[in-house]
């Protein structure tokens, strides 16, 4: 069931990125669509975060013999 967490995370990210585009024409909402460079930086940060998590998990398993 590992796919559930990944699917829920992906859905949350997609929803968060889509909200400014979906509601941008409603006057009561004051969402701003971010510039394209923001999404590049966001992708880089998320990839680096995923790598850091995997390395930390591997280090923990190597040191303690098993994952939590």
């Amino acid at each position: 069931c590992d796919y559930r967490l990944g699917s829920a995370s992906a859905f949350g990210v997609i929803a968060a990125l889509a909200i400014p585009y979906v509601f941008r024409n409603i006057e009561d909402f004051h969402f701003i669509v971010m510039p394209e460079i923001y999404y590049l930086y966001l992708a880089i940060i998320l990839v680096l975060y995923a790598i850091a998590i995997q390395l930390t998990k591997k280090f923990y398993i190597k040191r303690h013999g098993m994952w939590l």
Side-chain angles (χ1 to χ4, degrees):
C1 294
D2 291 332
Y3 68 91
R4 290 185 201 164
L5 179 60
S7 298
S9 298
F11 178 75
V13 169
I14 290 169
L17 293 175
I19 285 173
Y21 292 99
V22 172
F23 295 119
R24 69 177 172 210
N25 293 327
I26 300 174
E27 293 180 13
D28 291 337
F29 293 114
H30 301 286
F31 291 113
I32 297 172
V33 176
M34 301 300 287
E36 291 80 21
I37 194 73
Y38 168 80
Y39 297 107
L40 174 65
Y41 290 144
L42 180 64
I44 291 169
I45 289 169
L46 290 174
V47 167
L48 291 175
Y49 177 74
I51 292 169
I53 292 299
Q54 289 300 320
L55 291 175
T56 302
K57 191 166 88 172
K58 286 186 185 291
F59 174 74
Y60 185 91
I61 291 170
K62 186 175 183 179
R63 183 169 182 172
H64 297 284
M66 60 184 238
W67 184 240
L68 306 173

